[in-house]
Amino acid sequence: MSIRPVKRVIKSKPTMEGAGVHLRRAFGFGNTKETDPFLLLDDFRNDVPEDYLAGFPWHPHRGIETITYVLAGTVEHGDSMGNRGAIAAGDVQWMTAGSGIIHQEMPKGDPTGRMHGFQLWANLPASLKMTAPRYQEVKSLDIPEIKDDDGTHVRVVCGSFWGKKGPVDGIAADPIYLDVSVAPGKRKSLPVETTRHAFAYVFGGAGKFCNSSGPLAVPTEAVKWLDTTPPVEADNRSLILFDRGDEVTVQAGDDGIRFLLVSGKPLEEPVAWYGPIVMNMQEQLRKAFEELQEGKFLKQG
């Protein structure tokens, strides 16, 4: 087995979206090559209702899939296909925008005012950009959970892992989306298929992600220092981008560590992106916004 080296560790950055929602962006609206097929990851954990209640009023999407995973509070959803609902702690909403959808997402928070969750955008390949929109809502009880003997706990939101299969299906990027908790002081290796791009996003505790397949020996001579690759420390709100390999190894800190581990097969296609619409060519992007202005954006009727 070869451990995936750490390319870099990035702290998520404060930003504002929707009608004034304060959140943190781990990646997005930049070069997508290293995260392909994923475009954006937002961490919308917030304990101040005034900073999120304005929500994300009606807005369009085309050419992508949005994955919303809630940890605390609720998010009410409505869309142009007539879907209405709310997702609460542990639930997942997976929306395939395809040829076009107009929707709104309104966070409500829990009784103590907490609104915690994540939104991930996955790109659609050119062949499916104009596919029919689809909406999947998955309740917490339907998400498989695995507990290993050493206390490692994994929720399988999407994809297959350790013999369990997540409930979300038919996703173009074939992602594996895991919520992983490793007990204090424990070291854990998790398989990730070599051909996939992979990242981790820490949202609880801290730990060290191993950065080499060789033993992490203490160097005895100065010259040997260059041959060692020390582990990389990561704490709350840290994004870890991994290079190629077939497993990720983490050493949990004194309080344990909890993180999302997400991987997907890169599409390796051109990206033309503006706001909520992601196509392959600038001309397709222009056409999408023209259709929005002319009232011809929605294709499914």
Side-chain angles (χ1 to χ4, degrees), residues 4-9 33-35 197 211 232 240-244:
R4 283 180 172 249
V6 175
K7 276 187 181 179
R8 64 181 59 87
V9 177
K33 191 173 180 183
E34 290 184 322
T35 57
H197 280 160
N211 203 15
V232 176
I240 301 95
L241 289 176
F242 297 104
D243 213 329
R244 293 303 170 100

Side-chain angles (χ1 to χ4, degrees), residues 29 32 37-40 60-66 97-98 121-126 128-130 267 269-282 284-285 288-289 297:
F29 294 108
T32 60
F38 306 109
L39 299 163
L40 174 147
H61 282 294
R62 177 179 284 179
I64 63 169
E65 303 185 273
T66 66
W121 290 14
N123 202 1
L124 281 169
L128 294 174
K129 287 284 188 193
M130 298 300 285
L267 301 178
E269 294 180 350
V271 174
W273 182 1
Y274 187 79
I277 296 174
V278 185
M279 303 303 288
N280 298 105
M281 314 297 290
Q282 288 296 325
Q284 295 169 322
L285 207 52
F289 281 98
F297 183 75

Side-chain angles (χ1 to χ4, degrees), residues 62-140:
R62 177 179 284 179
I64 63 169
E65 303 185 273
T66 66
I67 305 101
T68 307
Y69 179 34
V70 175
L71 299 176
T74 60
V75 177
E76 294 181 358
H77 168 267
D79 65 37
S80 51
M81 294 188 294
N83 294 306
R84 295 286 184 278
I87 53 173
D91 297 348
V92 175
Q93 173 202 298
W94 201 297
M95 188 193 73
T96 304
S99 62
I101 199 168
I102 296 175
H103 79 152
Q104 67 171 354
E105 299 157 297
M106 305 303 287
K108 296 300 179 187
D110 69 8
T112 66
R114 294 187 312 154
M115 182 69 245
H116 291 190
F118 306 97
Q119 186 166 92
L120 176 69
W121 290 14
N123 202 1
L124 281 169
S127 59
L128 294 174
K129 287 284 188 193
M130 298 300 285
T131 194
R134 188 166 71 126
Y135 174 81
Q136 298 180 69
E137 189 176 291
V138 179
K139 296 303 182 185
S140 182

Side-chain angles (χ1 to χ4, degrees), residues 211-225:
N211 203 15
S212 166
S213 293
L216 298 170
V218 176
T220 53
E221 300 171 32
V223 70
K224 287 187 179 177
W225 178 251

